[in-house]
Amino acid sequence: MNRANLIASVSNAEIISVIEDYKQKLVIMYKNNYPVYKIISFRELSIQKLSAEIGFNNGDTIIVPYFNNTKHWIKVVIGDKEDFLKYLYEKGFLNSFTIICPNNGVIYDIELGEQEYEIRICNC
């Protein structure tokens, strides 16, 4: 929780109980054979490009399962989406990261491969 509260672009951070419907979708997404929606070369990655691919907006509430490689799921309100993604990138969280957007009913799984970022999308 302390790490989540250090992110200047989030508010109302709270640990939540695991949401079973989302957890089941995540198990499917984490399998290697789940289709990749978009590949972005590591050299071409920018926060703006990544921000355009992930469909939540400033002011939206998102859920981050297994935040900071823990068992905890957190729910936060995003103040500035690009600042949030920049923080995650600079702290190394974007090596493997999942964002659930309940308002849009979408799960984004971002994983760093050998030379590119792979983005998987699942509708909930």
Side-chain angles (χ1 to χ4, degrees), residues 9-90:
S9 57
V10 303
S11 61
N12 300 334
E14 64 179 293
I15 295 175
I16 63 169
S17 298
V18 172
I19 301 170
E20 285 301 320
D21 290 345
Y22 291 144
K23 183 179 177 183
Q24 291 172 7
K25 294 277 187 176
L26 292 175
V27 168
I28 294 168
M29 285 188 81
Y30 292 158
K31 291 184 179 181
N32 290 336
N33 60 353
Y34 197 84
V36 174
Y37 160 75
K38 183 84 168 200
I39 294 175
I40 302 174
S41 166
F42 187 72
R43 292 185 311 256
E44 297 173 3
L45 181 73
S46 70
I47 296 302
Q48 294 80 17
K49 189 174 222 177
L50 186 58
S51 178
E53 295 296 334
I54 300 176
F56 65 87
N57 299 307
N58 296 341
D60 280 355
T61 298
I62 64 168
I63 298 169
V64 182
Y66 312 112
F67 179 72
N68 197 20
N69 294 319
T70 67
K71 65 179 181 174
H72 300 292
W73 287 37
I74 65 166
K75 183 168 73 170
V76 298
V77 176
I78 299 299
D80 186 299
K81 177 175 155 179
E82 288 191 7
D83 282 350
F84 174 71
L85 293 172
K86 182 178 178 183
Y87 177 88
L88 296 177
Y89 179 77
E90 289 173 349

